[in-house]
Each structure stands twice: as C-alpha cells, then as structure tokens.
Amino acid sequence: MRILCEKNVLQKNVNIVTKAVAVKSPVYLLEGILISAEDNIIKMYGSDGNLSIKCENEAVVLEKGDVVIPARLFSEILAKFDDCEISMYTQDNNLIMECGHSKTTLCYLDAKEYPEFPKSENTKNIKMFSNQLISMIDQTVFASSLSEDKPILTGLLLEFDKKVSKIVALDGYRLAIRQENISTGVDDTMVVVPAKSMREVARIIPEDESTVDLDIGEKIVTFSCNNMKIATRVLQGDYVKYKNILPTEYTSRMVVNKQELQNSLERANILARQSKTNLVNLKIDGEILTITSDSEVGKAREELEIALTGKNLDISFNSRYLLDVLKEVEDEKIVFDLNTSISPCVIHPLKGQNYLYLVLPVKTNNIN
C-alpha cells in the first residue's frame, strides 16, 4: 500500500472510526482499525463487535492494499504531525508514515482476519435530517438506564410509522419521549438500539440538514450519512409498554418560564446535591412556586411566578432528574401536569407534541 493524503482529513476520519474500537479486547485485532486503499479512496473501519463505524475520503492511491493499525496509537501519532500532506506506505511488516520532517513506523496486522462490516437483510429504510436525529437523541438518551438489571432499558426505543418518528427512553424513574414528523416512513416499525451507540451517532453525524438513511433490520441498524456508515446491534426483548404508564388526566397544571425554573433549580441544587437524594421541594400555591432544598450544610429558597390551573400542591423531586429535562428543552414556557405528591409529573410543551417527559417524585413525610 502507498498513498498520499491530507493529514487533517485523514485524522478526522481516524478519530471517528476509533470511537467504535475496543479500548481493551481479548482479540487484539479489534483494538485496531482497518485501512483499505483502492481507486483513489481510503476506507477506514473500526468495530468492537457491537458498534461498527466506516468512513472514506479521497486520496492519491499509488498502490492498493489493506492493513490493520492500532487505533489509538495511530490517532495520537497523527495528532502530533504538522498540518501537511502525509505519505503512508508499507514496507515488510511495517506501515511507514512521513509528514514534513517527521517519520514514524508502526507494525501492522493482517487485514484478512478483521471482521466484515455488519450486513442486515430485509431492512426497512427511513430518511431523516441529521440535525433532527441529533436533537431527538440528545433530548432522550439521558433517561436511558445505566443498570444492566434490565438490559432492554439501556437502549432507546425507535418507533416509526409513515408520518412520525419517535425515540423513547426510560430508566424506572423518568421517561423521555421525543417525536418528529418525517416525509418517508414505514408502517409500525419498532427497534431498540443501545444508548451508547446512539450517543456516538449524535456525536458523529453533522449538525445540519444532511440526509441520514436508517436501514432497520432485525439484528442490525445502520445509519448512513455523507461519507460514513454506523452499524449497531439491536437489543433483543420486549420494551416496556410505556403508553400504559402515562397519566390521562391531571388535577394541577402549572405553566412556568423554563429558564427561570432552571436557574432556580440550579441554585437550589448546589445544596440539594450535598444529600444522597438531591432532594428539592416544590410548593405550588396559587401564582407562586416556592423551591426549597435542605442539607446539613445549609438551606436554599427560591420563588418564581407561575400560572396555575387546579389545586395547590407540595411535591418533591430528585433535582437532577428535573434539570436533565430542562437542559434539553428550548421552549420559553413549559407545562407541568400533576395529580398528587406521590404520582408522576408530566412535562410537555405549551403548544405541540414534540416532547413529553415523565418524572417520578420522591416520597416524603409531606404527602397530599
């Protein structure tokens, strides 16, 4: 193999595919990335067996070839090279990299043993804008479970029909639903994808209106955008029937300025996080919401104006769960629908149905 390529272009794609590479693997080959040079194209591919990423870019290919190179070493070396054209060629069992006055040699591994990029048959195809998909992932993924007690909850549920795409996450304490209208959908398609994989998708694809092709199979979902492909395994099992846990009515509806509430909660959280429960109390009384937190090192009290329909209420929450929601919501005003101090709170927009969050309260001695 012998190629000429701009160092910055090569480094960008190496950094992308390295996100799929195992840091420590019993199969040393999987700690590397596969580099293939052919027809003036360099293709790079990394995989840990669950997540696979492939990128390609133009280059001058003087001699075709395939090598597997230790991913993180290769990335670190490229990062230290000056910005210039890089020459890479194989000699004996080494890959030699020359950039300006720098020259580095790395041992490479046999590419024939590297696993093929995952393929899935009988797939259903859906097209979305990349910035749309990023927003949907970012506004739900925080509510996925970190515990392996119920592996299916460590994933995000992707639901599609002909007009609407939906992403759902829940961990037993909160539920996040985000939906968007789409122009090319399919009938009643559901799949659960690991949250870790979806985070990487959101980090890698461009935050613009590039088209993302989702090819959904029974075992593999592939995201294709511009010069890259990301394939991830599907989690097997039945997802929670989340629609059954959504309240259908409320006795108290609070409309509040989102940024004012977030600022107040962040201040109260400084003391709340000194306790294990991150507890904050919300006292809804007429047109005033009072937020308090109490710990061994001090107390906090915040007041802000609200619009209330229905009954007054005292309710307590883990402040982190509320802040996770507020950090992702962009609306000026949001709605809290509540019933009692021990029943779930539903947060949604004042207009539209783009998102819905359900947060369980913390039981305290002040039960209404």
Side-chain angles (χ1 to χ4, degrees), residues 65 67 81 171 185 215 247 276 281 344 354:
V67 295
F81 279 157
D171 63 2
D215 290 303
K276 293 181 180 179
N281 178 258
N354 275 9

Side-chain angles (χ1 to χ4, degrees), residues 71-326:
R72 283 166 178 80
L73 274 178
F74 188 40
S75 178
E76 286 183 38
I77 291 167
L78 289 175
K80 298 302 180 183
F81 279 157
D82 293 332
D83 296 341
C84 61
E85 186 178 64
I86 184 170
S87 171
M88 297 197 306
Y89 56 93
T90 52
Q91 191 174 82
D92 299 325
N93 290 322
N94 297 314
L95 178 69
I96 299 171
M97 296 167 281
E98 296 180 353
C99 187
H101 300 292
S102 304
K103 181 177 180 179
T104 302
T105 300
L106 266 180
C107 294
Y108 68 81
L109 302 172
D110 189 355
K112 294 179 181 178
E113 301 298 321
Y114 205 80
E116 293 185 2
F117 192 82
K119 296 180 181 178
S120 185
E121 298 180 353
N122 302 320
T123 60
K124 296 180 179 180
N125 179 263
I126 293 158
K127 297 182 186 297
M128 298 179 64
F129 291 124
S130 56
N131 55 0
Q132 187 182 61
L133 181 57
I134 290 170
S135 173
M136 294 179 71
I137 295 170
D138 287 346
Q139 293 181 2
T140 54
V141 70
F142 63 84
S144 59
S145 177
L146 300 176
S147 171
E148 292 291 340
D149 291 344
K150 294 182 179 179
I152 197 72
L153 297 185
T154 64
L156 300 186
L157 173 66
L158 279 59
E159 284 188 326
F160 302 96
D161 61 30
K162 287 186 176 180
K163 295 183 179 180
V164 175
S165 63
K166 187 180 294 184
I167 295 182
V168 181
L170 66 91
D171 63 2
Y173 300 97
R174 65 262 182 93
L175 164 70
I177 304 172
R178 178 74 165 80
Q179 69 178 41
E180 284 282 356
N181 295 329
I182 53 175
S183 57
T184 58
V186 291
D187 287 332
D188 300 330
T189 297
M190 297 173 52
V191 66
V192 183
V193 178
K196 178 183 176 183
S197 297
M198 296 299 287
R199 284 190 179 95
E200 294 301 342
V201 170
R203 290 169 182 156
I204 293 170
I205 62 175
E207 197 167 0
D208 55 26
E209 292 191 350
S210 297
T211 298
V212 181
D213 277 287
L214 283 73
D215 290 303
I216 300 173
E218 292 182 3
K219 295 183 179 180
I220 299 292
V221 175
T222 303
F223 302 83
S224 303
C225 184
N226 297 338
N227 67 329
M228 69 188 78
K229 284 191 174 184
I230 307 165
T232 176
R233 68 181 177 91
V234 169
L235 294 179
Q236 301 300 318
D238 294 327
Y239 201 76
V240 174
K241 290 180 172 56
Y242 67 90
K243 293 178 183 178
N244 294 343
I245 63 177
L246 295 175
T248 57
E249 55 186 22
Y250 63 89
T251 57
S252 302
R253 169 167 284 185
M254 175 179 73
V255 179
V256 62
N257 180 286
K258 174 261 178 184
Q259 193 58 56
E260 289 180 2
L261 177 60
Q262 182 177 341
N263 292 342
S264 294
L265 281 171
E266 286 177 345
R267 289 189 290 266
N269 185 55
I270 295 172
L271 292 177
R273 68 187 182 209
Q274 303 302 314
S275 64
K276 293 181 180 179
T277 57
N278 291 317
L279 188 70
V280 292
N281 178 258
L282 277 60
K283 183 177 181 180
I284 302 168
D285 188 359
E287 303 299 306
I288 298 296
L289 170 65
T290 303
I291 302 171
T292 55
S293 61
D294 190 352
S295 70
E296 294 180 356
V297 296
K299 299 180 180 181
R301 179 185 173 90
E302 298 277 339
E303 286 189 359
L304 59 157
E305 294 182 357
I306 60 169
L308 176 65
T309 303
K311 299 179 179 179
N312 295 336
L313 182 68
D314 274 15
I315 190 167
S316 299
F317 293 97
N318 181 320
S319 57
R320 182 169 63 85
Y321 292 165
L322 291 180
L323 285 171
D324 282 345
V325 171
L326 297 175

Side-chain angles (χ1 to χ4, degrees), residues 39-58:
D39 301 327
N40 290 331
I41 294 290
I42 301 177
K43 297 179 180 180
M44 283 166 284
Y45 161 42
S47 177
D48 63 2
N50 293 318
L51 177 67
S52 302
I53 303 175
K54 181 164 62 175
C55 284
E56 62 179 49
N57 60 269
E58 295 181 354

